[in-house]
Amino acid sequence: MTSQPSTAQSAHEHRWLILGICCMSLLIVGIDTTIVNVALPSIQRSLHAPLSGLQWIVDAYTLVLASFLMLGGSTADRLGRRRVFQTGLVIFVLGSAICAAAPSLGVLVGARAFQALGGAMLNPVALSIVRNVFEDPRERARAVGIWGAAFGISLGLGPVVGGVLVTTAGWRYVFLVNLPVGLLAILLTAIFVPESRAQHARRIDPVGQALVIVGLATLTYAIIEGQSDGWGSPTIIGLFVVAAAAFVALVRYELHRTEPLVEIRFFASIPFSGAALSAIFAFAAYGAFLFVNTLYLQEARGFSALRAGLYTLPLAVSTIIFAPLTGRLIASMGTRRPLMVASIALACGTLLMTGLSPHTPTWLLMVAYVVFGSGLGLVNPPITNTAISGMPPAQAGVAGAIAASSRQVGSTVGIAVVGAIVGGGSTSFGPRFAEASHPGWWMMFGLAVALLIVGALTTTPRALATASATAARLELEPEGAVG
């Protein structure tokens, strides 16, 4: 077997290559979050799935990601980041293959959940690897900017790549495309990525992990199935109660645990809390945007998957252009102004979509896609940068996992809520979907406005002072202490 670079000098020499390998994993996980959306109508026809079934195809993936990202980060800190990263790649590739061969909706949803289990071992672990390989703060800022740009690129490319694959080869190839990239990443990781662990790794937190799963799963199920079961049904009400109780219990339990799964002390930093909340709002809007827009283009407009994917190309291009620029903007002016501009762009992009009809002019759609894509490209780097800035290197995996979990929670809830809203106005697919989507677009606009408010309140000089105080306290206090 090829010998592994084990010294700090070797890791330093290969740091940019290691960043590239980590970005490869980010690309396949990010693209897989979005590429499936453009395939949903084809999957619906092939597997005879209802609207709620389409929601589960997307949300089974994001739900498992959100539930296990923090466990993936802390496990990597304990067992070794390269080892967990490689394991995640193997599971992700295997899950992708099962998705491609799925004979029924149930198998596909289950395979998506398994695929996401591997994905949960990739993004936070890769970010932790990057955080530990780049020791110089300025280089680290550049690396995180590239990382954020890769994530933005993956989000933008997903619909376009999906449209091409669905039209030319079939919906199953949106999963098979992960195999060559994943296998290459496994090989390069074995050769170049050094092993690393936290000096004091956290213990497994089974109670905290169970509460996260119960809270997110019951909340998502209640939102998706509430329309069909009835919002006032005992089952749905009971699920909402269980979700609320699980989240309250999680906070109380983690505050008193020596080594918690969710480090509640991080949230004493107002910018960190703002980054987590901003990620939820931004990616709830984005997840909902892709879900509704895909169905609008293919159902209300009657476009092919390829044409629908090409229509969203302006969104992808603007995301790809602005995502790399944001890292430089953050280095020169901080996170506040890029986040404000991103919020305004997301709000304007969704506002333009609130009056959709089957005959909405193409130029209006293109403008909306460019504006929304620009906001998407601008929003992720400041969120990521804020989340890990000031956190001790030993806890980089946990901090990165909380930020990544917040994005997935946002996407999961956004798709669940918008599906419930749109499903309430339309009992079937077709031209009527355009009018039924109007409340969904207004919901996304509200999320963008909420993002603007949160960003403005959590990036003031007074708020930033709490980040420094929290970082200092994290260095002095033993883990799990409550200040």
Side-chain angles (χ1 to χ4, degrees), residues 156-382:
L157 283 179
V160 179
V161 175
V164 173
L165 290 174
V166 170
T167 302
T168 59
W171 65 264
R172 298 182 186 275
Y173 281 82
V174 303
F175 301 108
L176 288 175
V177 73
N178 294 326
L179 271 61
V181 180
L183 292 173
L184 178 61
I186 292 171
L187 175 63
L188 293 177
T189 299
I191 298 174
F192 293 106
V193 176
E195 186 60 282
S196 63
R197 296 177 178 83
Q199 290 183 348
H200 179 66
R202 293 166 176 250
R203 300 174 188 170
I204 301 298
D205 180 5
V207 174
Q209 182 63 64
L211 289 171
V212 168
I213 295 172
V214 170
L216 291 177
T218 53
L219 176 63
T220 304
Y221 187 93
I223 295 173
I224 290 179
E225 303 297 338
Q227 183 61 40
S228 59
D229 291 359
W231 295 108
S233 71
T235 300
I236 299 302
I237 292 175
L239 287 170
F240 279 123
V241 171
V242 170
F247 290 130
V248 171
L250 176 67
V251 173
R252 292 176 62 87
Y253 177 79
E254 297 294 79
L255 278 172
H256 295 90
R257 181 173 167 81
T258 303
E259 295 178 340
L261 174 72
V262 182
E263 181 54 88
I264 304 298
R265 294 183 304 164
F266 288 173
F267 292 92
S269 164
I270 292 177
F272 182 89
S273 298
L277 198 55
S278 295
I280 291 174
F281 289 148
F283 285 86
Y286 179 60
F289 189 103
L290 279 189
F291 186 81
V292 176
N293 183 66
T294 297
L295 294 176
Y296 164 73
L297 291 177
Q298 297 189 52
E299 294 294 332
R301 301 289 289 246
F303 290 170
S304 67
L306 177 57
R307 188 175 180 186
L310 292 176
Y311 255 60
T312 60
L313 188 60
L315 188 155
V317 171
S318 56
T319 301
I320 292 170
I321 290 174
F322 280 92
L325 295 177
T326 312
R328 299 179 182 179
L329 293 176
I330 291 172
S332 61
M333 65 178 63
T335 60
R336 181 180 177 85
R337 277 183 279 182
L339 188 57
M340 296 296 96
V341 174
S343 305
I344 294 171
L346 293 174
C348 291
T350 52
L351 187 62
L352 290 171
M353 303 286 279
T354 54
L356 287 184
S357 75
H359 310 290
T360 297
T362 297
W363 68 265
L364 181 60
L365 293 176
M366 297 298 105
V367 171
Y369 295 156
V370 168
V371 174
F372 189 87
S374 301
L376 182 64
L378 289 167
V379 78
N380 192 58

Side-chain angles (χ1 to χ4, degrees), residues 454-482:
V454 169
L457 294 177
T458 60
T459 55
T460 62
R462 181 174 296 180
L464 294 175
T466 67
S468 301
T470 300
R473 191 160 57 247
L474 286 170
E475 293 284 2
L476 294 175
E477 290 181 357
E479 289 196 42
V482 180

Side-chain angles (χ1 to χ4, degrees), residues 352-436:
L352 290 171
M353 303 286 279
T354 54
L356 287 184
S357 75
H359 310 290
T360 297
T362 297
W363 68 265
L364 181 60
L365 293 176
M366 297 298 105
V367 171
Y369 295 156
V370 168
V371 174
F372 189 87
S374 301
L376 182 64
L378 289 167
V379 78
N380 192 58
I383 290 174
T384 303
N385 186 275
T386 302
I388 68 170
S389 293
M391 296 301 169
Q395 296 178 331
V398 179
I402 292 175
S405 295
S406 298
R407 289 195 293 263
Q408 299 304 329
V409 168
S411 182
T412 301
V413 174
I415 292 168
V417 171
V418 82
I421 292 173
V422 172
S426 174
T427 57
S428 64
F429 299 101
R432 287 187 300 168
F433 189 84
E435 184 177 356

